[in-house]
Amino acid sequence: MRNFTYLLVSALLAGSTAMAQGLRINGTVVKKSTLSTLAQARKAHVIQQARENSSFYSLSKAPIFKAMPQPVYGDSLITSPEGTAVNNMMRSDVSFYSYFGYLIESDSEAGLGSYVLGADGNIYLTNPLSTLSTEGKLKLTKRNDSTYVAYLPQAIYSEDSEDGSTFYAYANRLVAKTSDDGVFWYPDTLSDGTCNDSIVFSYKDGELSQADQSQVYGYPYEMLGLTDATGSWYGYGSGNIAYKPLTETVTPIPADTTSATYKFTYNTVVDSTGTEVPTTVLKQVALSKNGKDIYLHDPANDNADLWIHGTISDDKKTISFPEQFLGADSSISSYLWMKPGTATVEYSSSNGSYGYSYEFADKDTLTFTYDAATGSFSLDAPEALIVNASKTRVYYSGAYVAPKYEPFTEVAATPANPKFDSYQAYSESNGYGAVQFEIPSTDVDGNILNTNKLSYNFFVDDPDEPFEFSTDEYTALTENMTEVPYNFSDSWDFYATGDQHTIYFYFDGAEKFGLQSIYRGAGEEHKSDVVWLDIAAYTSVKGIVNNNTKVAKTEMFDITGRKVNSTYKGMVIKKTTFADGSVKTAKLLNK
């Protein structure tokens, strides 16, 4: 089995402003404006790092800096304290995580928050760091009815080592220290050699907040950071923490609504020219029995049960969608709103590409033009529908310019041929190889398909027998699989992002790979041609490469971003830079 997975990274840096000082990590000064550019270059539009995508490997191997040993207040995880869970809290904070030697910052004002009012009178924070999911809760000891104290360091994360021992990481108090190089965070060492290692929280009427909300150059002075027992920081932290009860409510969908599939078209920007081009996908729309209420499924997340409520006018010429609260999206750990917006195409000299700049519209309702005869409704550019993680600033999980909805009629169709994009040869030292490819979600005439009825077969040498993925090698599968659904991903051996797919394989000696798409629309089955990849054309290329792109350089980093060589043992991040400037990253366990 492959000890390898993609590095899953997401950040929110929308609206970052330049500053005189910068963040420093491993001697590298990174200004806040630079961080924003880095995120934009990676098209990091996810508004907050998804907690289930946050994981640590070999945490103790390479901390960001070394500090003096600290006494540990809590050296075991608190996982299930007795008490009353307080959910539906809206958490705000400024948080950090480390990425390739850079310290990435995100500030959230509508994160999902919860804590436990303990039977012992104390408070226990769930996931005290908003950028990392931890099994351990953080204990806040009651000082009085309005004051609680986190005595630190406290263990909140553990990892079993191969030798049978357990490594613990701790929530610790760090404070900002400035120099000519910028800002960095360290344990608050006092003149007598001890550390000021407690964080005070205030509590009133269900609201809980870090008492010290001060900032240095716009960053928290006092931070809850993840360290080892010596105070060595791993780059994960949260400051300016506050919890407030959620007061917003969602408009419920009536039980008599009927859901239907619609074509959803919106504009995107071609980076090289700044040209706006339409993109079409399928989304769900629900209509109430009274014929007046309409509900759009959240276009930013097909898996979230979030809906945008609108009203059809009496003359059936318009549909109005007022600004509204949508609910919680656990995949990005945030509450969301629909906000009317506008978009402008702008060129970024820092990353050399065009993109949209979004603003809130000067009105609180989006009014679509409605064609009752066809059931279609649309907005014209520059108007945009924004799914947003803030009521006060643009902080979006999805933004859609000139949106248009049209009823989708499913018909029998032949799917377009797949396309191989890149290939990584089997490596005996790694024990795996990989192939990347496209499964178009359109038919041979370019018409969009219902991807729930689209799948593909993978062939190895034999054109008559699809390859069977067995649970013996593909351990994330629950049963053997031959035909792979279009949307299938197990986040280990199979990855799917829209039309883009990746499969890892565990054998050598194949001469060619084949792909064939299968579509079962309107009760009929139609297949594409079998498209083949001649493996011999790729055997001299190392790493996953594009057909027309050569590898410029390959670098390896430890988990904190320090550059290492191929002899390094432990979890590393492999960064491959191609001749066209594109970059691919992956996690790899070197033994």
Side-chain angles (χ1 to χ4, degrees), residues 295-306:
Y295 301 85
L296 311 180
H297 191 269
D298 175 13
N301 186 352
D302 288 337
N303 297 317
D305 188 22
L306 304 179

Side-chain angles (χ1 to χ4, degrees), residues 74 129 150 209 243 316 528 558:
L129 303 178
S209 62
Y243 294 79
K316 299 187 182 301
S528 72
D558 64 26

Side-chain angles (χ1 to χ4, degrees), residues 96-154:
F96 302 90
Y97 66 92
S98 175
Y99 178 69
F100 282 121
Y102 294 105
L103 193 60
I104 307 299
E105 172 255 358
S106 69
D107 51 335
S108 170
E109 63 185 59
L112 307 186
S114 64
Y115 56 79
V116 175
L117 290 176
D120 56 6
N122 302 313
I123 291 177
Y124 298 85
L125 300 186
T126 303
N127 289 320
L129 303 178
S130 61
T131 51
L132 177 69
S133 179
T134 59
E135 184 181 4
K137 291 180 169 57
L138 183 71
K139 179 181 179 180
L140 308 184
T141 302
K142 184 175 182 178
R143 178 181 290 174
N144 54 53
D145 288 344
S146 61
T147 306
Y148 289 75
V149 182
Y151 293 106
L152 306 168
Q154 285 186 42

Side-chain angles (χ1 to χ4, degrees), residues 33-46:
S33 57
T34 305
L35 296 178
S36 180
T37 299
L38 291 172
Q40 292 168 10
R42 293 195 303 275
K43 302 185 185 303
H45 295 315
V46 179

Side-chain angles (χ1 to χ4, degrees), residues 10-259:
S10 57
L12 175 59
L13 294 165
S16 294
T17 56
M19 53 178 285
Q21 298 285 351
L23 300 173
R24 180 164 57 86
I25 181 169
N26 296 339
T28 301
V29 179
V30 184
K31 296 189 183 302
K32 199 171 184 181
S33 57
T34 305
L35 296 178
S36 180
T37 299
L38 291 172
Q40 292 168 10
R42 293 195 303 275
K43 302 185 185 303
H45 295 315
V46 179
I47 63 168
Q48 187 174 339
Q49 183 162 345
R51 291 182 178 176
E52 48 273 340
N53 288 346
S54 303
S55 60
F56 270 78
Y57 296 85
S58 303
L59 275 171
S60 59
K61 292 195 178 294
I64 291 174
F65 69 89
K66 285 293 183 183
M68 62 175 294
Q70 290 181 264
V72 174
Y73 175 77
D75 58 1
S76 61
L77 301 185
I78 301 173
T79 59
S80 302
E82 293 186 5
T84 303
V86 179
N87 300 312
N88 298 323
M89 300 296 291
M90 194 155 59
R91 170 173 167 145
S92 61
D93 65 11
V94 178
S95 58
F96 302 90
Y97 66 92
S98 175
Y99 178 69
F100 282 121
Y102 294 105
L103 193 60
I104 307 299
E105 172 255 358
S106 69
D107 51 335
S108 170
E109 63 185 59
L112 307 186
S114 64
Y115 56 79
V116 175
L117 290 176
D120 56 6
N122 302 313
I123 291 177
Y124 298 85
L125 300 186
T126 303
N127 289 320
L129 303 178
S130 61
T131 51
L132 177 69
S133 179
T134 59
E135 184 181 4
K137 291 180 169 57
L138 183 71
K139 179 181 179 180
L140 308 184
T141 302
K142 184 175 182 178
R143 178 181 290 174
N144 54 53
D145 288 344
S146 61
T147 306
Y148 289 75
V149 182
Y151 293 106
L152 306 168
Q154 285 186 42
I156 60 170
Y157 179 89
S158 66
E159 181 181 88
D160 293 331
S161 302
E162 290 185 0
D163 61 5
S165 62
T166 301
F167 169 75
Y168 288 95
Y170 301 84
N172 207 345
R173 181 178 183 266
L174 306 177
V175 295
K177 298 184 184 296
T178 61
S179 68
D180 292 340
D181 290 333
V183 184
F184 208 64
W185 285 263
Y186 300 89
D188 190 7
T189 306
L190 305 177
S191 59
D192 62 0
T194 62
C195 291
N196 179 359
D197 52 10
S198 60
I199 294 181
V200 178
F201 287 77
S202 60
Y203 179 74
K204 183 179 180 181
D205 298 330
E207 295 190 10
L208 180 69
S209 62
Q210 192 175 343
D212 189 342
Q213 295 279 326
S214 61
Q215 295 188 337
V216 177
Y217 300 115
Y219 299 107
Y221 167 72
E222 177 188 76
M223 180 167 62
L224 187 69
L226 191 77
T227 75
D228 65 12
T230 72
S232 301
W233 185 33
Y234 292 104
Y236 282 73
S238 295
N240 299 149
I241 302 168
Y243 294 79
K244 293 183 178 180
L246 179 70
T247 58
E248 307 261 6
T249 57
V250 176
T251 301
I253 299 181
D256 61 0
T257 56
T258 301
S259 180

Side-chain angles (χ1 to χ4, degrees), residues 403-529:
K404 180 179 181 180
Y405 284 84
E406 304 169 272
F408 171 73
T409 301
E410 185 177 280
V411 297
T414 300
N417 287 344
K419 175 188 175 183
F420 283 98
D421 287 333
S422 54
Y423 170 77
Q424 175 180 319
Y426 174 85
S427 165
E428 186 173 349
S429 60
N430 291 335
Y432 64 85
V435 62
Q436 293 182 328
F437 52 91
E438 297 175 34
I439 301 295
S441 53
T442 57
D443 66 14
V444 291
D445 296 319
N447 300 311
I448 194 166
L449 301 177
N450 182 350
T451 56
N452 292 325
K453 298 186 178 182
L454 182 63
S455 58
Y456 62 90
N457 281 330
F458 185 70
F459 298 85
V460 179
D461 292 334
D462 187 350
D464 299 318
E465 190 68 32
F467 181 77
E468 182 177 55
F469 301 96
S470 73
T471 56
D472 293 337
E473 289 183 325
Y474 293 83
T475 56
L477 299 180
T478 57
E479 59 183 5
N480 293 355
M481 180 169 63
T482 300
E483 189 174 316
V484 184
Y486 170 89
N487 293 305
F488 180 75
S489 173
D490 64 4
S491 299
W492 185 249
D493 293 312
F494 297 83
Y495 291 86
T497 305
D499 289 356
Q500 300 294 322
H501 299 260
T502 301
I503 291 177
Y504 288 87
F505 57 90
Y506 300 98
F507 52 83
D508 197 6
E511 296 181 356
K512 59 182 180 179
F513 288 152
L515 286 168
Q516 183 178 48
S517 293
I518 306 165
Y519 186 61
R520 296 185 177 88
E524 296 183 18
E525 178 180 287
H526 293 269
K527 296 181 179 181
S528 72
D529 298 332

Side-chain angles (χ1 to χ4, degrees), residues 284-300:
Q284 292 298 302
V285 174
L287 291 170
S288 64
K289 189 175 182 179
N290 64 19
K292 291 186 63 66
D293 293 306
I294 188 168
Y295 301 85
L296 311 180
H297 191 269
D298 175 13

